[in-house]
């Protein structure tokens, strides 16, 4: 028979056990609340208070914070990607976006490459084939150096066609990629002929626009051929957006087109195309500002003319082969992923190379491989032969990482194994 004492003892034990579980539950809930508030404080701190400069953007695996619920400039319906919707306070907008998305923040040397072609098939039968090869060359270069690339083949502004089509594409890329410090436009018919070389951005820390050319011809002789608009770098900032607005205002869609056509014709004795307009902007930037933000680069081929470069490649190859024979480390096979490291090993030998260093970019200006309406001063056959040679020369630098090469630069279909 169960006594009252035993029953009471059992009830007390059950009560203690019940209270114990209740205590665990309360403690768990309390810790969860504390952790939640702590995490929220951390996110708020990173997104609103911490400077991007103090945040380590170069760690191998930076944390990613999904803060889509936080409003950004993209939520402003008055904001747009086209020239008819000017962007103001872009530097502040961009900085805030970077603070909200620290995992996308990288080194300020980051480049985003933009290129493109027409939306319809080429009239020239070989055109599409060569455009594909030109694009492959750009993809190879970007993959090796870790750059992103955007290939545009539509008119983002219908009235800005042909040479003017690049401006809307660059404008849209700037606001679509606030994480990029530099936007690099390169024409579809330009080839990276030195896959190892990287733009020395440290030289341009106080500049916002870089283009290849000859300063004297632009500033003193007022020659529109003193530069080439087929390859240029533009910093992702408010100054650059304003610069693009001025450049576009001279284009065919502008209500001020007639005024600018007259002005450019009087200044450069040439029609108002994108390159003449750019030369005028650089000329005025030089005249109006002591600390001008534009820079004409002439120490390396940010854009080099194909007719000057194509016939020099054989001698350049022989010089590189000679250096490799004397320095076995430079000839060593390696993974493509470490190509940049091996490129650094080459630098001491190329420091004073001068004219025999690989040209960085070769531009087939005037060849018009898609339309076929080439410059009458040379034949289309001359263009095809030079394109084949230059593209295969560049491709050899890529194929080398895969154990092959083109033994004959005039034949892209033929490859052989590396002899080492």
């Amino acid at each position: 028979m169960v006594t009252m004492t035993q029953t009471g003892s059992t009830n007390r034990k059950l009560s203690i056990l019940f209270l114990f579980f209740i205590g665990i539950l309360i403690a768990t809930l309390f810790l969860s609340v504390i952790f939640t508030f702590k995490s929220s404080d951390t996110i708020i701190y990173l997104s609103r208070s911490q400077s991007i400069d103090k945040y380590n953007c170069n760690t191998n695996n930076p944390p990613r914070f999904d803060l889509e619920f936080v409003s950004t400039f993209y939520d402003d319906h008055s904001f747009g990607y086209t020239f008819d919707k000017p962007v103001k306070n872009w530097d502040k907008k961009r900085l805030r976006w970077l603070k909200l998305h620290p995992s996308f923040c990288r080194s300020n040397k980051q480049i985003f490459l933009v290129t493109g072609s027409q939306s319809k098939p080429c009239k020239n039968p070989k055109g599409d084939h060569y455009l594909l090869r030109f694009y492959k060359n750009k993809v190879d270069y970007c993959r090796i150096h870790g750059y992103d690339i955007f290939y545009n083949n539509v008119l983002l502004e219908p009235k800005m066609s042909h040479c003017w089509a690049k401006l809307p594409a660059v404008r849209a890329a700037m606001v679509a990629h606030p994480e990029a410090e530099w936007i690099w436009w390169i024409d579809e018919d330009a080839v990276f002929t030195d896959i190892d070389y990287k733009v020395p951005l440290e030289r341009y820390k106080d500049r916002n626009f870089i283009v290849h050319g000859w300063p004297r011809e632009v500033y003193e002789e007022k020659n529109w051929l003193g530069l080439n608009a087929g390859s240029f770098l533009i910093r992702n900032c408010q100054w650059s957006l304003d610069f693009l607005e001025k450049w576009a205002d001279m284009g065919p869609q502008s209500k001020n087109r007639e005024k600018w056509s007259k002005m450019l014709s009087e200044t450069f004795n040439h029609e108002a195309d994108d390159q003449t307009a750019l030369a005028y902007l650089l000329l005025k930037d030089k005249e109006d500002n002591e600390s001008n933000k534009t820079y004409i680069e002439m120490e390396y081929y940010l854009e080099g003319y194909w007719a000057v470069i194509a016939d020099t490649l054989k001698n350049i190859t022989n010089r590189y082969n000679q250096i490799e024979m004397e320095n076995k480390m430079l000839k060593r096979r390696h993974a493509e992923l470490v190509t940049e490291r091996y490129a650094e090993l080459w630098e001491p030998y190329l420091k004073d190379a001068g004219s025999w260093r690989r040209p960085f970019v070769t531009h087939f200006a005037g060849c018009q491989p898609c339309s076929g309406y080439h410059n009458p001063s040379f034949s289309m056959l001359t263009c095809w032969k030079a394109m084949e040679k230059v593209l295969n020369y560049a491709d050899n630098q890529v194929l080398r990482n895969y154990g092959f090469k083109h033994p004959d630069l005039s034949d892209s279909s033929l490859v052989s194994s590396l002899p080492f």
Side-chain angles (χ1 to χ4, degrees):
M1 184 175 182
V2 179
T3 64
M4 294 295 293
T5 303
Q6 290 173 320
T7 301
S9 176
T10 300
N11 289 338
R12 283 195 298 274
K13 290 180 179 179
L14 290 174
S15 297
I16 292 171
L17 187 61
F18 175 77
L19 292 173
F20 176 77
F21 283 112
I22 290 296
I24 292 176
L25 180 60
I26 292 173
T28 301
L29 290 172
F30 178 78
L31 290 174
S32 297
V33 171
I34 292 296
F35 179 79
T36 300
F37 278 109
K38 183 65 176 175
S39 299
S40 299
D41 289 343
T42 302
I43 292 176
I44 293 173
Y45 177 68
L46 283 173
S47 65
R48 298 180 182 178
S49 303
Q50 188 166 351
S51 168
I52 289 296
D53 294 333
K54 295 180 180 179
Y55 188 80
N56 186 1
C57 298
N58 297 315
T59 55
N60 292 329
N61 295 293
R64 177 173 179 170
F65 299 96
D66 294 319
L67 301 178
E68 282 77 8
F69 62 89
V70 179
S71 177
T72 69
F73 60 86
Y74 290 112
D75 299 303
D76 181 359
H77 295 295
S78 65
F79 168 86
Y81 300 85
T82 53
F83 286 113
D84 60 342
K85 293 185 177 181
V87 175
K88 302 300 180 184
N89 299 316
W90 174 240
D91 295 339
K92 290 183 179 179
K93 288 181 171 70
R94 181 171 171 250
L95 179 60
R96 183 170 185 271
W97 189 94
L98 288 171
K99 288 181 178 180
L100 288 170
H101 302 82
S103 62
F104 297 111
C105 173
R106 303 179 190 174
S107 166
N108 65 354
K109 296 182 179 181
Q110 188 196 2
I111 287 174
F112 185 83
L113 193 139
V114 183
T115 186
S117 62
Q118 63 185 44
S119 56
K120 296 181 180 180
C122 293
K123 293 181 180 180
N124 192 303
K126 292 184 179 181
D128 289 313
H129 168 71
Y130 277 101
L131 287 188
L132 177 61
R133 293 199 63 193
F134 284 133
Y135 179 56
K136 176 195 177 297
N137 167 263
K138 296 174 180 65
V139 171
D140 285 337
Y141 182 82
C142 289
R143 182 184 66 255
I144 288 172
H145 294 287
Y147 301 152
D148 291 328
I149 183 172
F150 170 54
Y151 190 97
N152 178 54
N153 67 340
V154 294
L155 287 178
L156 302 183
E157 168 52 64
K159 293 183 180 180
M160 297 184 76
S161 59
H162 299 96
C163 60
W164 290 97
K166 69 187 72 167
L167 300 190
V170 170
R171 166 67 160 74
M174 288 178 69
V175 296
H177 288 274
E179 82 285 357
E181 182 67 17
W182 292 90
I183 304 297
W184 185 359
W185 170 266
I186 185 164
D187 279 0
E188 73 273 18
D189 56 353
V191 180
F192 288 105
T193 30
D194 188 348
I195 299 296
D196 288 343
Y197 193 78
K198 295 179 70 175
V199 173
L201 293 178
E202 64 278 0
R203 293 174 56 175
Y204 313 132
K205 62 179 182 177
D206 297 321
R207 309 285 186 167
N208 292 335
F209 186 89
I210 317 299
V211 67
H212 182 265
W214 297 269
R216 181 179 177 179
E217 291 194 23
V218 176
Y219 300 134
E220 297 179 23
E221 299 178 12
K222 294 182 173 58
N223 183 356
W224 69 281
L225 291 173
L227 55 78
N228 190 287
S231 175
F232 63 82
L233 289 134
I234 186 165
R235 191 184 295 275
N236 198 350
C237 63
Q238 184 66 53
W239 181 96
S240 298
L241 286 173
D242 296 339
F243 183 85
L244 288 175
E245 294 278 353
K246 296 174 185 176
W247 195 356
D249 190 50
M250 302 179 186
Q253 86 299 341
S254 173
K255 62 181 180 181
N256 299 316
R257 173 67 171 176
E258 186 175 344
K259 178 192 78 171
W260 285 118
S261 294
K262 182 179 179 180
M263 179 73 72
L264 296 176
S265 178
E266 292 175 351
T267 305
F268 294 99
N269 193 28
H270 189 263
E271 64 177 318
D273 61 12
D274 67 315
Q275 189 162 301
T276 312
L278 177 60
Y280 182 85
L281 287 174
L282 266 61
L283 179 63
K284 290 303 176 183
D285 186 54
K286 180 78 170 179
E287 292 176 350
D288 299 341
N289 302 287
E290 293 183 3
S291 57
N292 58 306
K293 295 295 183 181
T294 59
Y295 185 77
I296 298 178
E297 179 61 77
M298 59 180 294
E299 293 189 21
Y300 66 92
Y301 279 126
L302 183 60
E303 180 277 337
Y305 187 44
W306 65 274
V308 175
I309 292 173
D311 290 335
T312 68
L313 298 181
K314 183 177 180 180
N315 289 336
I316 292 173
T317 299
N318 291 339
R319 192 64 180 267
Y320 273 68
N321 289 341
Q322 181 182 350
I323 294 175
E324 282 190 334
M325 291 290 292
E326 299 169 356
N327 302 273
K328 301 300 182 183
M329 176 62 72
L330 301 178
K331 200 172 184 178
R332 184 184 179 192
R333 292 185 294 180
H334 56 77
E336 184 178 74
L337 192 64
V338 295
T339 297
E340 287 188 331
R341 177 68 186 102
Y342 277 82
E344 292 174 3
L345 297 178
W346 267 95
E347 281 307 309
Y349 303 96
L350 301 174
K351 186 177 180 181
D352 300 316
S355 61
W356 61 264
R357 179 166 188 155
R358 290 171 182 158
F360 184 30
V361 175
T362 303
H363 186 198
F364 285 88
C367 281
Q368 301 295 330
C370 194
S371 68
Y373 301 139
H374 60 87
N375 188 316
S377 63
F378 45 79
S379 69
M380 198 69 237
L381 181 60
T382 303
C383 286
W384 295 138
K385 288 182 177 180
M387 288 179 192
E388 197 74 13
K389 183 186 295 185
V390 170
L391 284 165
N392 288 333
Y393 178 82
D395 201 35
N396 270 350
Q397 298 167 56
V398 178
L399 285 176
R400 177 172 172 151
N401 293 325
Y402 296 83
F404 293 89
K405 70 172 185 176
H406 296 289
D408 182 358
L409 295 184
S410 64
D411 187 354
S412 62
S413 64
L414 182 63
V415 294
S416 61
S417 298
L418 292 178
F420 58 90

